[in-house]
Amino acid sequence: MAMRLSRRLLRLAAVKDFAEYEAMKTSKTSMMVGFYTGHFSAASKMYRDQFEAMSKSYPKATFYTCDIDDTPLAAYDAEVTEVPSVVIQPLGLKPDGSFYDKTDMVVVSPELAQFDQVIPRAKAALDAIEVFEEEGARKPWQFDPATGTTLPPHQ
């Protein structure tokens, strides 16, 4: 009887509902990095492996994927307008001691259909962000009726 060896592929967390997305914001991670895709997007399928490879370089960040058709509220909250897009939301404290908030979110989307530039530009944006850990447990973000999105509890 022959034994088969198979390699276990690292798969990122896939956000399937808005509650999962919101729960990530209260975790003790330094930042959330999401790869927003669409089932109709060939470019999303082509660059997913590069996103997974990039996730191995940043162990303190939480990487996830999100299909905009499965979780449109998460895509709306992350201000995604085109796929594939990488959204970087720093969580915690800035170097000056103030909190990161929604205005510090970076959305990297393809400009002029340059899909091959999304992952390198996201990596450059990740390298430029410095996050310090905050003390204590994080509180859930609050819904903001003025914008239809969520805001950190300190605002």
Side-chain angles (χ1 to χ4, degrees), residues 107-129:
V107 180
V108 181
S109 58
E111 294 178 6
L112 302 173
Q114 293 178 332
F115 299 106
D116 62 330
Q117 295 301 309
V118 172
I119 300 298
R121 287 181 37 234
K123 187 165 176 40
L126 270 169
D127 292 337
I129 297 172

PDB file of all heavy atoms in Angstrom, residues 107-129:
ATOM      1  N   VAL A 107      -6.258  52.185   1.076  1.00  0.00           N
ATOM      2  CA  VAL A 107      -6.887  51.309   0.085  1.00  0.00           C
ATOM      3  C   VAL A 107      -6.020  51.331  -1.165  1.00  0.00           C
ATOM      4  O   VAL A 107      -5.845  52.376  -1.790  1.00  0.00           O
ATOM      5  CB  VAL A 107      -8.328  51.766  -0.251  1.00  0.00           C
ATOM      6  CG1 VAL A 107      -8.942  50.838  -1.284  1.00  0.00           C
ATOM      7  CG2 VAL A 107      -9.175  51.836   0.994  1.00  0.00           C
ATOM      8  N   VAL A 108      -5.465  50.184  -1.502  1.00  0.00           N
ATOM      9  CA  VAL A 108      -4.612  50.066  -2.682  1.00  0.00           C
ATOM     10  C   VAL A 108      -5.417  49.327  -3.744  1.00  0.00           C
ATOM     11  O   VAL A 108      -5.725  48.148  -3.602  1.00  0.00           O
ATOM     12  CB  VAL A 108      -3.309  49.300  -2.367  1.00  0.00           C
ATOM     13  CG1 VAL A 108      -2.436  49.206  -3.603  1.00  0.00           C
ATOM     14  CG2 VAL A 108      -2.571  49.951  -1.214  1.00  0.00           C
ATOM     15  N   SER A 109      -5.773  50.059  -4.790  1.00  0.00           N
ATOM     16  CA  SER A 109      -6.547  49.455  -5.876  1.00  0.00           C
ATOM     17  C   SER A 109      -5.808  49.683  -7.196  1.00  0.00           C
ATOM     18  O   SER A 109      -4.943  50.546  -7.280  1.00  0.00           O
ATOM     19  CB  SER A 109      -7.954  50.056  -5.922  1.00  0.00           C
ATOM     20  OG  SER A 109      -7.886  51.446  -6.089  1.00  0.00           O
ATOM     21  N   PRO A 110      -6.152  48.909  -8.203  1.00  0.00           N
ATOM     22  CA  PRO A 110      -5.451  49.068  -9.480  1.00  0.00           C
ATOM     23  C   PRO A 110      -5.798  50.395 -10.139  1.00  0.00           C
ATOM     24  O   PRO A 110      -6.964  50.754 -10.250  1.00  0.00           O
ATOM     25  CB  PRO A 110      -5.941  47.887 -10.310  1.00  0.00           C
ATOM     26  CG  PRO A 110      -7.212  47.469  -9.686  1.00  0.00           C
ATOM     27  CD  PRO A 110      -7.139  47.846  -8.248  1.00  0.00           C
ATOM     28  N   GLU A 111      -4.777  51.117 -10.527  1.00  0.00           N
ATOM     29  CA  GLU A 111      -4.991  52.374 -11.237  1.00  0.00           C
ATOM     30  C   GLU A 111      -4.772  52.135 -12.724  1.00  0.00           C
ATOM     31  O   GLU A 111      -3.764  51.553 -13.110  1.00  0.00           O
ATOM     32  CB  GLU A 111      -4.025  53.437 -10.722  1.00  0.00           C
ATOM     33  CG  GLU A 111      -4.298  53.822  -9.285  1.00  0.00           C
ATOM     34  CD  GLU A 111      -3.301  54.844  -8.773  1.00  0.00           C
ATOM     35  OE1 GLU A 111      -2.483  55.336  -9.559  1.00  0.00           O
ATOM     36  OE2 GLU A 111      -3.347  55.137  -7.575  1.00  0.00           O
ATOM     37  N   LEU A 112      -5.700  52.539 -13.523  1.00  0.00           N
ATOM     38  CA  LEU A 112      -5.623  52.383 -14.971  1.00  0.00           C
ATOM     39  C   LEU A 112      -5.377  50.934 -15.372  1.00  0.00           C
ATOM     40  O   LEU A 112      -4.558  50.635 -16.241  1.00  0.00           O
ATOM     41  CB  LEU A 112      -4.529  53.287 -15.559  1.00  0.00           C
ATOM     42  CG  LEU A 112      -4.695  54.784 -15.279  1.00  0.00           C
ATOM     43  CD1 LEU A 112      -3.477  55.546 -15.747  1.00  0.00           C
ATOM     44  CD2 LEU A 112      -5.955  55.311 -15.956  1.00  0.00           C
ATOM     45  N   ALA A 113      -6.059  50.019 -14.684  1.00  0.00           N
ATOM     46  CA  ALA A 113      -6.001  48.581 -14.960  1.00  0.00           C
ATOM     47  C   ALA A 113      -4.604  47.993 -14.801  1.00  0.00           C
ATOM     48  O   ALA A 113      -4.272  46.986 -15.412  1.00  0.00           O
ATOM     49  CB  ALA A 113      -6.562  48.263 -16.341  1.00  0.00           C
ATOM     50  N   GLN A 114      -3.783  48.586 -13.947  1.00  0.00           N
ATOM     51  CA  GLN A 114      -2.448  48.040 -13.665  1.00  0.00           C
ATOM     52  C   GLN A 114      -2.566  47.086 -12.471  1.00  0.00           C
ATOM     53  O   GLN A 114      -2.109  47.377 -11.372  1.00  0.00           O
ATOM     54  CB  GLN A 114      -1.458  49.157 -13.384  1.00  0.00           C
ATOM     55  CG  GLN A 114      -1.173  50.017 -14.587  1.00  0.00           C
ATOM     56  CD  GLN A 114      -0.215  51.141 -14.268  1.00  0.00           C
ATOM     57  OE1 GLN A 114      -0.141  51.617 -13.145  1.00  0.00           O
ATOM     58  NE2 GLN A 114       0.528  51.562 -15.274  1.00  0.00           N
ATOM     59  N   PHE A 115      -3.153  45.935 -12.716  1.00  0.00           N
ATOM     60  CA  PHE A 115      -3.406  44.960 -11.661  1.00  0.00           C
ATOM     61  C   PHE A 115      -2.116  44.402 -11.062  1.00  0.00           C
ATOM     62  O   PHE A 115      -2.076  44.056  -9.893  1.00  0.00           O
ATOM     63  CB  PHE A 115      -4.272  43.816 -12.197  1.00  0.00           C
ATOM     64  CG  PHE A 115      -5.611  44.274 -12.681  1.00  0.00           C
ATOM     65  CD1 PHE A 115      -5.893  44.354 -14.030  1.00  0.00           C
ATOM     66  CD2 PHE A 115      -6.602  44.634 -11.784  1.00  0.00           C
ATOM     67  CE1 PHE A 115      -7.132  44.768 -14.476  1.00  0.00           C
ATOM     68  CE2 PHE A 115      -7.842  45.062 -12.210  1.00  0.00           C
ATOM     69  CZ  PHE A 115      -8.111  45.129 -13.565  1.00  0.00           C
ATOM     70  N   ASP A 116      -1.069  44.348 -11.866  1.00  0.00           N
ATOM     71  CA  ASP A 116       0.195  43.801 -11.375  1.00  0.00           C
ATOM     72  C   ASP A 116       0.884  44.708 -10.363  1.00  0.00           C
ATOM     73  O   ASP A 116       1.825  44.292  -9.695  1.00  0.00           O
ATOM     74  CB  ASP A 116       1.136  43.508 -12.546  1.00  0.00           C
ATOM     75  CG  ASP A 116       1.494  44.758 -13.338  1.00  0.00           C
ATOM     76  OD1 ASP A 116       0.669  45.697 -13.393  1.00  0.00           O
ATOM     77  OD2 ASP A 116       2.598  44.797 -13.908  1.00  0.00           O
ATOM     78  N   GLN A 117       0.417  45.935 -10.206  1.00  0.00           N
ATOM     79  CA  GLN A 117       1.031  46.878  -9.278  1.00  0.00           C
ATOM     80  C   GLN A 117       0.348  46.913  -7.907  1.00  0.00           C
ATOM     81  O   GLN A 117       0.830  47.566  -6.986  1.00  0.00           O
ATOM     82  CB  GLN A 117       1.016  48.287  -9.879  1.00  0.00           C
ATOM     83  CG  GLN A 117       1.862  48.420 -11.118  1.00  0.00           C
ATOM     84  CD  GLN A 117       3.313  48.065 -10.842  1.00  0.00           C
ATOM     85  OE1 GLN A 117       3.919  48.573  -9.906  1.00  0.00           O
ATOM     86  NE2 GLN A 117       3.874  47.169 -11.644  1.00  0.00           N
ATOM     87  N   VAL A 118      -0.761  46.214  -7.731  1.00  0.00           N
ATOM     88  CA  VAL A 118      -1.510  46.260  -6.479  1.00  0.00           C
ATOM     89  C   VAL A 118      -0.686  45.688  -5.322  1.00  0.00           C
ATOM     90  O   VAL A 118      -0.543  46.329  -4.272  1.00  0.00           O
ATOM     91  CB  VAL A 118      -2.864  45.529  -6.613  1.00  0.00           C
ATOM     92  CG1 VAL A 118      -3.554  45.406  -5.264  1.00  0.00           C
ATOM     93  CG2 VAL A 118      -3.763  46.260  -7.586  1.00  0.00           C
ATOM     94  N   ILE A 119      -0.138  44.503  -5.471  1.00  0.00           N
ATOM     95  CA  ILE A 119       0.606  43.860  -4.387  1.00  0.00           C
ATOM     96  C   ILE A 119       1.898  44.625  -4.066  1.00  0.00           C
ATOM     97  O   ILE A 119       2.162  44.896  -2.883  1.00  0.00           O
ATOM     98  CB  ILE A 119       0.892  42.375  -4.711  1.00  0.00           C
ATOM     99  CG1 ILE A 119      -0.425  41.606  -4.906  1.00  0.00           C
ATOM    100  CG2 ILE A 119       1.749  41.737  -3.629  1.00  0.00           C
ATOM    101  CD1 ILE A 119      -1.334  41.547  -3.708  1.00  0.00           C
ATOM    102  N   PRO A 120       2.723  45.033  -5.037  1.00  0.00           N
ATOM    103  CA  PRO A 120       3.922  45.816  -4.687  1.00  0.00           C
ATOM    104  C   PRO A 120       3.591  47.143  -4.002  1.00  0.00           C
ATOM    105  O   PRO A 120       4.285  47.553  -3.069  1.00  0.00           O
ATOM    106  CB  PRO A 120       4.611  46.050  -6.040  1.00  0.00           C
ATOM    107  CG  PRO A 120       4.128  44.957  -6.920  1.00  0.00           C
ATOM    108  CD  PRO A 120       2.728  44.658  -6.463  1.00  0.00           C
ATOM    109  N   ARG A 121       2.528  47.815  -4.436  1.00  0.00           N
ATOM    110  CA  ARG A 121       2.143  49.077  -3.791  1.00  0.00           C
ATOM    111  C   ARG A 121       1.612  48.835  -2.385  1.00  0.00           C
ATOM    112  O   ARG A 121       1.840  49.633  -1.474  1.00  0.00           O
ATOM    113  CB  ARG A 121       1.112  49.808  -4.652  1.00  0.00           C
ATOM    114  CG  ARG A 121       1.748  50.398  -5.906  1.00  0.00           C
ATOM    115  CD  ARG A 121       0.811  51.167  -6.821  1.00  0.00           C
ATOM    116  NE  ARG A 121      -0.196  51.941  -6.153  1.00  0.00           N
ATOM    117  CZ  ARG A 121      -1.508  51.844  -6.409  1.00  0.00           C
ATOM    118  NH1 ARG A 121      -1.938  50.991  -7.314  1.00  0.00           N
ATOM    119  NH2 ARG A 121      -2.366  52.592  -5.779  1.00  0.00           N
ATOM    120  N   ALA A 122       0.912  47.726  -2.178  1.00  0.00           N
ATOM    121  CA  ALA A 122       0.426  47.384  -0.839  1.00  0.00           C
ATOM    122  C   ALA A 122       1.598  47.076   0.090  1.00  0.00           C
ATOM    123  O   ALA A 122       1.598  47.483   1.255  1.00  0.00           O
ATOM    124  CB  ALA A 122      -0.524  46.196  -0.906  1.00  0.00           C
ATOM    125  N   LYS A 123       2.600  46.382  -0.422  1.00  0.00           N
ATOM    126  CA  LYS A 123       3.785  46.067   0.383  1.00  0.00           C
ATOM    127  C   LYS A 123       4.511  47.345   0.785  1.00  0.00           C
ATOM    128  O   LYS A 123       4.937  47.491   1.935  1.00  0.00           O
ATOM    129  CB  LYS A 123       4.709  45.133  -0.396  1.00  0.00           C
ATOM    130  CG  LYS A 123       5.874  44.629   0.422  1.00  0.00           C
ATOM    131  CD  LYS A 123       6.532  43.468  -0.254  1.00  0.00           C
ATOM    132  CE  LYS A 123       7.749  42.953   0.441  1.00  0.00           C
ATOM    133  NZ  LYS A 123       7.733  42.888   1.865  1.00  0.00           N
ATOM    134  N   ALA A 124       4.620  48.287  -0.127  1.00  0.00           N
ATOM    135  CA  ALA A 124       5.263  49.572   0.189  1.00  0.00           C
ATOM    136  C   ALA A 124       4.457  50.337   1.244  1.00  0.00           C
ATOM    137  O   ALA A 124       5.031  50.938   2.151  1.00  0.00           O
ATOM    138  CB  ALA A 124       5.410  50.404  -1.085  1.00  0.00           C
ATOM    139  N   ALA A 125       3.142  50.297   1.145  1.00  0.00           N
ATOM    140  CA  ALA A 125       2.296  50.971   2.131  1.00  0.00           C
ATOM    141  C   ALA A 125       2.420  50.305   3.503  1.00  0.00           C
ATOM    142  O   ALA A 125       2.474  50.993   4.529  1.00  0.00           O
ATOM    143  CB  ALA A 125       0.839  50.964   1.670  1.00  0.00           C
ATOM    144  N   LEU A 126       2.481  48.980   3.532  1.00  0.00           N
ATOM    145  CA  LEU A 126       2.652  48.257   4.795  1.00  0.00           C
ATOM    146  C   LEU A 126       3.991  48.610   5.456  1.00  0.00           C
ATOM    147  O   LEU A 126       4.059  48.778   6.679  1.00  0.00           O
ATOM    148  CB  LEU A 126       2.614  46.753   4.555  1.00  0.00           C
ATOM    149  CG  LEU A 126       1.263  46.078   4.641  1.00  0.00           C
ATOM    150  CD1 LEU A 126       1.353  44.662   4.114  1.00  0.00           C
ATOM    151  CD2 LEU A 126       0.745  46.087   6.045  1.00  0.00           C
ATOM    152  N   ASP A 127       5.030  48.703   4.665  1.00  0.00           N
ATOM    153  CA  ASP A 127       6.347  49.021   5.199  1.00  0.00           C
ATOM    154  C   ASP A 127       6.408  50.436   5.779  1.00  0.00           C
ATOM    155  O   ASP A 127       7.219  50.717   6.663  1.00  0.00           O
ATOM    156  CB  ASP A 127       7.430  48.856   4.129  1.00  0.00           C
ATOM    157  CG  ASP A 127       7.637  47.399   3.735  1.00  0.00           C
ATOM    158  OD1 ASP A 127       7.301  46.506   4.546  1.00  0.00           O
ATOM    159  OD2 ASP A 127       8.135  47.153   2.618  1.00  0.00           O
ATOM    160  N   ALA A 128       5.554  51.331   5.301  1.00  0.00           N
ATOM    161  CA  ALA A 128       5.562  52.723   5.748  1.00  0.00           C
ATOM    162  C   ALA A 128       4.775  52.937   7.043  1.00  0.00           C
ATOM    163  O   ALA A 128       4.888  53.993   7.663  1.00  0.00           O
ATOM    164  CB  ALA A 128       4.995  53.616   4.650  1.00  0.00           C
ATOM    165  N   ILE A 129       3.988  51.957   7.472  1.00  0.00           N
ATOM    166  CA  ILE A 129       3.140  52.120   8.654  1.00  0.00           C
ATOM    167  C   ILE A 129       3.852  51.561   9.880  1.00  0.00           C
ATOM    168  O   ILE A 129       4.330  50.434   9.866  1.00  0.00           O
ATOM    169  CB  ILE A 129       1.786  51.411   8.457  1.00  0.00           C
ATOM    170  CG1 ILE A 129       1.034  52.049   7.300  1.00  0.00           C
ATOM    171  CG2 ILE A 129       0.955  51.451   9.732  1.00  0.00           C
ATOM    172  CD1 ILE A 129      -0.225  51.311   6.908  1.00  0.00           C
TER     173      ILE A 129
END
